[in-house]
Amino acid sequence: MYQEYIATANRLFIRDGKFTIGKVLNVHLSQRTTKTIANFLCKIPGVGSRKHQERRAHKKLAELEQAGKLLAVVTQNIDGLHQAAGSEQVYELHGSVHRNYCEKCGKFYDLDHILHTTGVPRCDCGGVIKPDVVLYEEALNDRVIDGAVNAIAQADLLIVGGTSLNVWPAAGLINYFRGDRLALINKSPVARDLAAGLVITDPIGEVLSQL
């Protein structure tokens, strides 16, 4: 999850001795260090390549959607693994490293373009290309939030998996759930005290692969 990316990033940049995570992912600093952000994001395991090894959980969720049993996936991840596994209705709360846009004209660029750029990535029009990820001090995308809230509110069963619910406002989206079947699947205890009908403390991939 996104908080795990942040923990990984902290270790990477403390080791590198160049930046703190707050500086690297700060929206104001990003205007001058877009290449640094791109390099940072691609150091995170599973992000820097489209040759993903889709995990069991991602594949199972995609299968459930294709079978008409899953309404949507709401994720804090920025790695595109859900789409790579076949999921179509995915609400990426923190954006995706695979989408990059010119801040001047809005032209789209993929991750490969950013990785193979020397210096600050720039568009043909001269504008700076920024990864479509939510940085510190940036608000979440309203359209994505609305879609996620509507999907959660319509669900009969809500599966919260692979997250300790430490990151807000994402953790608060559970409050929109109106169904009566809540399942928590995580290898460690979650941060919130929720009245879940089912709590499983095992890796979500192992659990979902048995369905």
Side-chain angles (χ1 to χ4, degrees):
M1 306 307 292
Y2 192 77
Q3 59 264 39
E4 293 173 346
Y5 294 158
I6 297 303
T8 301
N10 272 317
R11 291 195 296 272
L12 285 169
F13 279 85
I14 288 174
R15 183 187 65 199
D16 288 351
K18 295 180 180 178
F19 300 95
T20 64
I21 184 62
K23 288 183 178 180
V24 172
L25 293 185
N26 183 281
V27 62
H28 303 300
L29 188 64
S30 74
Q31 296 172 4
R32 303 190 303 274
T33 59
T34 305
K35 184 63 176 180
T36 297
I37 293 175
N39 288 336
F40 148 69
L41 291 172
C42 295
K43 286 186 177 183
I44 298 171
V47 171
S49 172
R50 287 301 290 178
K51 296 179 180 179
H52 293 306
Q53 295 181 351
E54 295 86 5
R55 299 166 187 166
R56 288 175 291 180
H58 298 85
K59 289 184 177 181
K60 177 56 67 173
L61 291 174
E63 291 173 4
L64 291 173
E65 181 183 10
Q66 293 162 7
K69 297 180 179 180
L70 181 70
L71 181 62
V73 172
V74 179
T75 180
Q76 298 175 87
N77 292 349
I78 59 174
D79 53 21
L81 279 174
H82 286 292
Q83 291 90 335
S87 291
E88 296 184 2
Q89 193 63 271
V90 182
Y91 295 103
E92 297 171 306
L93 300 179
H94 295 137
S96 172
V97 71
H98 296 286
R99 296 190 302 270
N100 303 272
Y101 297 94
C102 172
E103 294 185 304
K104 185 176 181 181
C105 73
K107 183 178 179 180
F108 169 83
Y109 290 89
D110 61 17
L111 179 60
D112 287 339
H113 178 88
I114 303 300
L115 294 179
H116 293 89
T117 298
T118 301
V120 175
R122 289 191 176 275
C123 178
D124 296 334
C125 73
V128 174
I129 303 171
K130 176 184 176 296
D132 186 23
V133 297
V134 179
L135 305 178
Y136 283 123
E137 299 184 25
E138 281 188 317
L140 301 185
N141 182 284
D142 288 338
R143 181 187 59 80
V144 174
I145 289 294
D146 288 344
V149 167
N150 289 333
I152 291 172
Q154 295 177 44
D156 298 315
L157 164 66
L158 178 64
I159 299 175
V160 179
T163 176
S164 56
L165 297 176
N166 281 314
V167 177
W168 290 76
L173 295 180
I174 297 176
N175 297 334
Y176 293 96
F177 178 56
R178 297 293 179 261
D180 56 3
R181 290 177 292 174
L182 175 63
L184 300 179
I185 307 173
N186 197 50
K187 58 185 178 181
S188 60
V190 299
R192 295 187 60 187
D193 183 16
L194 300 171
L198 177 64
V199 177
I200 302 177
T201 52
D202 286 311
I204 187 172
E206 293 181 7
V207 175
L208 293 185
S209 64
Q210 298 178 44
L211 297 179

